[in-house]
Amino acid sequence: MSLLNLLPHLLNGIALGLLFSLIALGFMLILGLMEQINLAHGSLFALGAYFAYAICGAKLPLPPDVLVAWAGVPLGLRFATAVVVAPILVAPFGIVLERLMRRTYGRDPLYGLLLTFGVAMVLEELIRVVWGTRDYMMPVPRDMSGGFIMLDLIWSTYRFWAAGMAVVAMGAVWFIVERTRFGAMVKAGAHDSEIVQALGIDLTRLRVWVFVLGTMLAAFAGVIMAPLWGIRPHMGVDAVVPAFLIIVLGGVGSFWGAALGGLLVGMVVGLSGAYASEWSMLSMYLLLIAVVTFRARGLFGKKSVLEA
Amino acid sequence: MPLFEAKDLHLRFGDRVVLENISLAFEAGQLSGIMGPNGAGKTTCFNVLTGRYKPNRGQVLWQGDDITGKSPQDIARLGIARSFQLMNLFDEFTVFENIAIALPGTRRRGHDMIARAYADTALVDEAYSILEKVGLAGRADDEAKSLSYGARRALEIGVALACRPKLLFLDEPTAGLGSDGRARLADLILQLKGELTIVIIEHDMEFLFSLADEISVIHWGQVIACGAPAALKANPWVEASNLGRLN
Amino acid sequence: MAAARTVPSFTPAMLVTWILFATVPFWIERVGLYQYLGVEILIFALYALAYNLVLGHAGLPSFGHGAFFGIGAYAFGLAQSNVVPNLWVCLAVAAGAAAIAGAFVALFISHRRGIYYALMTIAFGQIFWFIAIKAHRITGGEDGLLKIERLPASLGITTFNLGSNIALYYFVLAVFAVVSFLLWRLVHSPFGRVVKAIKQNETRARFVGYDVWRYKAAVLVVSTTLSGLAGGLFAMAQTSAFPDVMSLHYSGYVVMMTLVGGGLVSFWGPVIGAVAFFLARDVIGSFTTGWMLWFGLSFVVLVLFKPEGIAGIFSGVMNGRDKIVPRPAAAPQSQAR
């Protein structure tokens, strides 16, 4: 296979990798900065997708005439609304989850893992109860859908839009964590909650906000992934497992580790897809095991409470 | 030939030098002390001697054999046991089982998945003899985490003794103990002194000077003085170091 | 002379559990349930007991155990059609295949603990699950491996046909009794106590001379072997093998069963959990399709308020002493203290 033939696989892989990075980022925020594992991240991701579908498809619990009027609005506007509103609608779930998790702070991190696993099961089942088990297709505005031709190859337009949105969201997170007072407090809190409290920072509120941010990122990722993956109850697991792997691969506690881990996984999946598309998802597990066998804390990981 | 010898140990964490040129020798049957201010590298030194860290350079010799870089379990099996400054017990086990699990007799049967543990009365007796030595025989059935601080200190030493060591490292055994506890500990150590070789890290100069045959002073990751207690008392460096005047 | 300090080989809780299970076929249909449910419960109780060796006794949170159950199921089916259709051989192959897979995984993860252990087991679990789905030619992919027979149990003198659910139930109960007895002995053997010590304090265990890596690897292999055995029985019960039992969900279910039942504090906790899980599925499931919603909620509540699970709530009743000390045996106590 020539290099040119590999190019689309590589580019698709990078696009996929950026999306993986985005999914992993919200996970990372909660895990790396608060040392809490949120297995329900995938369910929040799925909820984002379902809410976006409900908004775009005008399938909301609202009076019929409002819905009819809403359905008449151009799809582009509805999609844009979904991108903004769906994460906001999911945020309260994150707040509730954080409240539940408070009881596990200071205990073995295993309890956080178990708790969020239970919550993930509950949310997934809730989705089944509300929306049923069938698959939904997320409508995409015409300007963002379809394909275009470049270098004699057909490219999916939406994939690039999605990658672009992922880059914007990641940039925003980077800015918040690295350049704002909020981010500085969060990072300090991760290392020494006593110092943070001594400085008069309200740690309880800080944690809520981190959870809100993490939840909204998950939901946002769910919205922009929905047109690519389709919407089904199981999508949460499909998302959280790669996120998990990316974090371990990149290293717990490292922002760039997560971003790079995501890209790496995307590229490996994309390129291995060129040779054995059936088996491409397997490659990311093999990558993880290869990396972690030789570098116990992943590519950029630091020592953390998780090793206890 | 000394029973245990460390030659020229160096250890770095990243670009920070923690141990620099440490050489120590412990003669069989002697009680040696290591002292020095906080952060001087005493516990790190123990950690290198007992296999927790690998030194970047240097050698550790046991009865003349090179054991540098061996794992903690291999070193323990040679007959070198240690206690910890921050207590390190099997918290959910009873006092009895904390001791019993550490006995070489249990360890040799560790791969047995079907026999019942502690069915061997000789083993149980052995555990009790150690419990008696550290004064905990009456509390054998209590969970380790329910013990008072002083009793946990005693159990900490008991677990190390249960390994049936030839050489015993004690890391600040008096930490947090009142004068009663110290006196009892001194008795225990005197009693053990005849049976095995002991190395103690200690802050309390008086405690150490009354027990030790030989003392090494560690500061800035180096041995700055070494000798019999009487000789060291005259050394101005030693007192200054212990009072934290050298910085 | 101090008395030996051991647990009895047979305990009231053990005998009560066995006897209760032995009566199930007589009344299960009268309470509106069905015989096959009993088979399912027993197999998963066995699986959960095996799993708890890792989670409860060794403190190693495996989130990929479904893989070994599934490997056992496939191995049973494949041995039947490719090796020899003999029950004992096929069950041995099921257990053996899971043991090999477990040993392979143990090579990579036995130096880890806590969340990293969980992460790595998820990764390996997904790999096996993925292979099961994609290796269509061997496993039948998502269509599953069908036409697995319920082989007769030959005991030399006589042979039992396990075609009926009741016969199979009693066969599984016999396996359950043997395995639960052996596990009880294992937990209280020197090996079991060392593993428990490692759970509490890996560092100290190392410094008293235990090769922690080996013990962690060994306990995982024992657990996966028995999980594979349970998987083999399951393949026989449903006369087929599917990849779904290897998925992250099913791996999570066994974690839930074990915890809900109280595996962290009680030897028999996982058995209670398996019973609770299947009763919830069938009883709540008969009212609403979203039974997992309610089971998941109760799991969340238990994790938050009572991590010791059901057995922890009734610890007095269900021999909550299991985790604690071996008490002095009834032998005459002339202790020289």
Side-chain angles (χ1 to χ4, degrees), chain A:
Chain A
M1 220 178 273
S2 81
L3 213 56
L4 192 63
N5 288 332
L6 280 181
L7 189 65
H9 292 289
L10 190 64
L11 278 180
N12 280 334
I14 289 173
L16 182 68
L18 285 168
L19 293 165
F20 275 154
S21 303
L22 180 62
I23 300 170
L25 258 189
F27 197 79
M28 178 69 206
L29 264 182
I30 294 171
L31 172 64
L33 305 184
M34 293 177 56
E35 300 187 325
Q36 293 288 333
I37 287 137
N38 181 14
L39 263 185
H41 193 73
S43 311
L44 299 167
F45 168 90
L47 273 181
Y50 274 95
F51 281 146
Y53 170 78
I55 292 168
C56 270
K59 295 193 169 53
L60 297 159
L62 292 172
D65 40 341
V66 178
L67 284 184
V68 171
W70 176 245
V73 172
L75 181 58
L77 192 58
R78 278 184 278 147
F79 188 82
T81 311
V83 168
V84 176
V85 175
I88 295 172
L89 291 178
V90 181
F93 288 87
I95 295 175
V96 172
L97 182 60
E98 196 277 337
R99 271 232 71 111
L100 293 177
M101 283 194 82
R102 273 180 208 177
R103 283 190 70 92
T104 70
Y105 294 159
R107 280 157 79 187
D108 190 326
L110 181 62
Y111 286 108
L113 188 80
L114 291 168
L115 172 70
T116 52
F117 178 78
V119 171
M121 287 288 144
V122 169
L123 287 179
E124 191 178 319
E125 204 59 33
L126 204 62
I127 286 172
R128 285 210 177 88
V129 169
V130 175
W131 283 283
T133 51
R134 55 167 289 214
D135 288 18
Y136 295 93
M137 278 310 297
M138 176 88 173
V140 180
R142 192 189 303 156
D143 292 342
M144 294 165 82
S145 66
F148 62 93
I149 293 175
M150 184 175 75
L151 297 171
D152 293 334
L153 292 163
I154 301 172
W155 304 81
S156 148
T157 312
Y158 183 74
R159 217 171 256 274
F160 286 86
W161 274 97
M165 286 190 277
V167 170
V168 170
M170 283 160 61
V173 175
W174 176 83
F175 184 81
I176 291 172
V177 171
E178 300 291 336
R179 288 285 178 272
T180 67
R181 201 176 118 76
F182 171 76
M185 289 193 299
V186 170
K187 282 206 289 191
H191 299 305
D192 192 341
S193 53
E194 264 175 46
I195 287 186
V196 172
Q197 274 168 324
L199 290 173
I201 298 166
D202 185 345
L203 193 64
T204 313
R205 257 179 56 198
L206 193 64
R207 283 182 168 145
V208 175
W209 281 110
V210 172
F211 246 88
V212 167
L213 189 60
T215 303
M216 289 178 66
L217 274 172
F220 178 77
V223 178
I224 63 175
M225 279 306 262
L228 292 173
W229 280 5
I231 302 172
R232 52 183 188 281
H234 202 265
M235 67 189 295
V237 176
D238 297 344
V240 76
V241 173
F244 229 172
L245 298 188
I246 287 160
I247 297 295
V248 183
L249 187 65
V252 171
S254 160
F255 182 89
W256 290 111
L260 193 78
L263 270 180
L264 213 59
V265 166
M267 273 156 58
V268 166
V269 169
L271 285 180
S272 58
Y275 295 97
S277 59
E278 278 274 281
W279 296 91
S280 65
M281 292 306 266
L282 191 61
S283 57
M284 71 180 171
Y285 300 116
L286 298 177
L287 175 70
L288 170 86
I289 289 164
V291 168
V292 175
T293 299
F294 296 107
R295 286 188 65 94
R297 290 180 190 136
L299 295 171
F300 301 101
K302 303 167 192 145
K303 190 167 172 62
S304 77
V305 73
L306 301 177
E307 288 164 47

